[in-house]
């Protein structure tokens, strides 16, 4: 089975990319991801705040206690030593490019288009094959309109596209009132790929100490549904490549994303949880599943279950939601009599 894929002009031996995460904090970590089979690596992000030395979001990543991050307890520790500043970031990319044979994708994480974006050029000069822009903007200012929020994305994209010749991907949030239209306009504005989706930091409340709990949990497979929907809807309708990010914990999620129309898939949580070597399991199992079904190349797989290729495109739409709701049976009203005995609420 030929698993090779084209991701925004990068020729990858298979579609499984190591997503931006602390696993790429060190050269040893990057080498391990390559040895484990990653077809490309998206570096951890260089933050606008880090460059500006304001450090708000950055401090969050540094200081969110490793203890509160149950499933990846060891993975925050190296950040302290690795994130010394933009120079260290560029040096790490330089070394990674020299010592690996896979594309290294730089990652910039910010919310404005001024000043810090010069680093896009320097990441290119350091040898990165492409750049991913993570516009991690949470519009808590309720006077800011949707079009102002959207304009930020276009301003950042334009500034970066004007500065570099390497391909530029945008890691998008799903929180737009017209996500599909936003994707279309970013495509028209020159985005070479869209990464769907960013996982936003959503703080919890610590009831014991009445404090805000700044926690990031690892993803679960159930989270693929939202990116899956939008990849299936966008497939064949925009020029930009589509990368799926979220919820990949086994080959099942990978195959679903490919059938929906992803050109590449990105994995972070599963590698943090199981270790980078888990990549080889993901690759083997994806290969086996597709080979067993007589697929010969990834092109035969991509988009088979996209909105434009399924028999019933309405399956992706509201009408289907209504059907699902109508067919939903109340388990406490039929069949599950035994539950009643054990359930004090019925
Ligand atoms: C500990 C941790 C650190 C992350 N750091 C970054 C980062 O620096 N930049 C970025 O764009 N995404 C970052 N991400 C997001 C991942 O790249 C990925 O998009 C997200 O976790 C969804 O994929 P997953 O379900 O495979 O984890 C991070 C995720 C985790 C869990």
């Amino acid at each position: 089975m030929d698993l090779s894929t084209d991701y925004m002009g990068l020729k990858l031996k298979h579609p499984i990319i190591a997503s931006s995460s602390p696993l790429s904090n060190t050269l040893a970590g990057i080498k391990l991801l390559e040895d484990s089979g990653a077809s490309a690596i998206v570096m951890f992000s260089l933050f606008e705040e880090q460059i500006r030395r304001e450090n708000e979001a950055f401090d969050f990543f540094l200081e969110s206690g490793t203890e509160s991050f149950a499933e990846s307890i060891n993975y925050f520790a190296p950040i302290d030593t690795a994130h010394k500043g933009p120079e260290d970031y560029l040096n790490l990319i330089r070394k990674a490019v020299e010592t690996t044979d896979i594309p290294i994708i730089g990652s910039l994480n910010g919310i404005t288009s001024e000043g810090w974006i010069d680093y896009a050029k320097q990441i290119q000069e350091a040898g990165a094959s492409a750049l991913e822009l993570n516009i991690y903007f949470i519009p808590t200012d309720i006077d800011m309109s949707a079009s102002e929020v959207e304009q930020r994305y276009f301003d950042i994209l334009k500034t970066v596209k004007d500065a570099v010749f390497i391909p530029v991907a945008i890691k998008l949030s799903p929180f737009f009132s017209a996500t599909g239209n936003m994707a279309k306009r970013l495509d028209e504005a020159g985005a070479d790929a869209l990464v769907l989706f960013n996982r936003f930091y959503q703080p919890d409340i610590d009831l014991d100490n009445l404090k805000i709990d700044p926690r990031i949990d690892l993803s679960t497979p159930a989270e693929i549904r939202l990116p899956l929907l939008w990849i299936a809807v966008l497939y064949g309708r925009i020029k930009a490549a589509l990368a799926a990010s979220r919820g990949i914990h086994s080959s099942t999620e990978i195959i679903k994303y490919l059938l929906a129309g992803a050109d590449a898939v990105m994995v972070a949580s599963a590698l943090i949880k199981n270790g980078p070597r888990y990549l080889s399991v993901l690759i083997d199992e994806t290969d086996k599943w597709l080979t067993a079904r007589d697929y010969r190349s990834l092109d035969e797989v991509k988009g088979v279950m996209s909105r434009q290729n399924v028999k019933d495109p309405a399956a992706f739409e509201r009408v289907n939601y209504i059907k699902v709701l109508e067919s939903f049976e109340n388990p406490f009203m039929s069949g599950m009599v035994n539950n009643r005995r054990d359930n004090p609420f019925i």
Side-chain angles (χ1 to χ4, degrees):
M1 163 84 195
D2 174 13
L3 282 177
S4 65
T5 187
D6 182 306
Y7 175 53
M8 55 172 170
L10 306 178
K11 308 284 175 227
L12 307 184
K13 58 185 181 228
H14 61 72
I16 307 168
I17 296 176
S19 202
S20 181
S21 87
L23 295 176
S24 58
N25 267 353
T26 60
L27 191 59
I30 292 169
K31 295 286 289 172
L32 180 57
L33 288 168
E34 182 188 32
D35 290 348
S36 306
S39 63
I41 297 172
V42 184
M43 298 287 294
F44 65 93
S45 292
L46 180 59
F47 283 77
E48 175 177 353
E49 288 81 354
Q50 195 177 353
I51 294 166
R52 292 181 183 282
R53 300 190 182 280
E54 284 173 11
N55 277 341
E56 259 171 68
F58 181 52
D59 281 347
F60 161 69
F61 273 87
L62 288 184
E63 286 165 11
S64 54
T66 53
E67 300 310 317
S68 66
F69 192 37
E71 287 196 275
S72 64
I73 239 148
N74 297 322
Y75 285 88
F76 268 117
I79 298 183
D80 255 333
T81 49
H83 283 66
K84 290 287 186 229
E87 268 317 307
D88 292 328
Y89 189 81
L90 296 172
N91 279 334
L92 186 57
I93 291 192
R94 252 175 237 121
K95 283 192 212 134
V97 169
E98 275 164 23
T99 54
T100 60
D101 294 320
I102 52 174
I104 299 293
I105 301 173
S107 169
L108 279 176
N109 191 319
I111 53 172
T112 68
S113 54
E114 294 113 36
W116 66 286
I117 278 183
D118 299 345
Y119 278 91
K121 213 175 207 159
Q122 299 192 47
I123 288 174
Q124 170 178 278
E125 280 159 13
S129 302
L131 187 61
E132 188 175 285
L133 297 177
N134 185 342
I135 305 173
Y136 196 104
F137 183 57
I138 305 175
T140 49
D141 174 358
I142 62 171
D143 289 323
M144 183 175 256
S145 71
S147 55
E148 285 172 291
V149 173
E150 291 171 9
Q151 194 54 46
R152 281 183 181 240
Y153 283 73
F154 297 112
D155 291 346
I156 293 176
L157 177 63
K158 183 174 179 340
T159 315
V160 172
K161 283 294 287 182
D162 286 350
V164 299
F165 53 78
I166 54 176
V168 177
I170 293 231
K171 195 169 186 175
L172 265 192
S173 146
F175 304 124
F176 295 102
S177 41
T179 305
N181 178 260
M182 187 65 187
K184 177 171 182 265
R185 286 158 60 212
L186 286 167
D187 176 45
E188 288 164 356
D192 297 285
L194 302 180
V195 181
L196 309 181
F197 288 111
N198 216 346
R199 271 174 105 231
F200 272 0
Y201 157 55
Q202 292 168 337
D204 203 353
I205 294 179
D206 171 351
L207 289 185
D208 291 330
N209 301 304
L210 281 191
K211 277 171 50 181
I212 298 298
D213 184 7
R215 189 199 326 223
I216 320 177
D217 295 319
L218 298 184
S219 67
T220 65
E223 290 180 44
I224 71 164
R225 300 284 189 89
L226 187 62
L228 195 71
L229 166 73
W230 284 107
I231 288 169
V233 168
L234 291 171
Y235 175 81
R237 297 164 85 190
I238 59 173
K239 284 195 310 299
L242 293 169
S245 159
R246 259 202 205 180
I248 293 174
H249 286 262
S250 72
S251 55
T252 304
E253 292 80 53
I254 295 177
I255 294 157
K256 287 180 183 177
Y257 274 139
L258 295 172
L259 290 169
D263 297 293
V265 298
M266 297 187 174
V267 195
S269 292
L271 303 185
I272 291 174
K273 189 172 168 189
N274 304 304
R277 298 239 178 254
Y278 188 59
L279 270 166
S280 61
V281 176
L282 295 176
I283 301 160
D284 282 359
E285 288 184 354
T286 304
D287 191 355
K288 275 194 201 124
W289 194 94
L290 294 171
T291 305
R293 278 149 191 86
D294 294 331
Y295 287 112
R296 281 159 302 170
S297 75
L298 218 60
D299 285 338
E300 293 179 3
V301 182
K302 278 186 203 171
V304 165
M305 297 300 292
S306 63
R307 182 175 174 274
Q308 71 172 29
N309 286 338
V310 288
K311 274 203 201 97
D312 177 19
F316 289 103
E317 286 158 23
R318 182 183 159 82
V319 58
N320 210 54
Y321 173 57
I322 297 169
K323 271 193 231 154
V324 173
L325 291 188
E326 278 170 358
S327 66
F328 189 83
E329 276 190 30
N330 183 341
F332 302 110
M333 292 299 148
S334 64
M336 297 186 66
V337 179
N338 283 344
N339 269 0
R340 289 166 174 252
R341 221 179 15 232
D342 306 329
N343 191 332
F345 299 108
I346 309 171

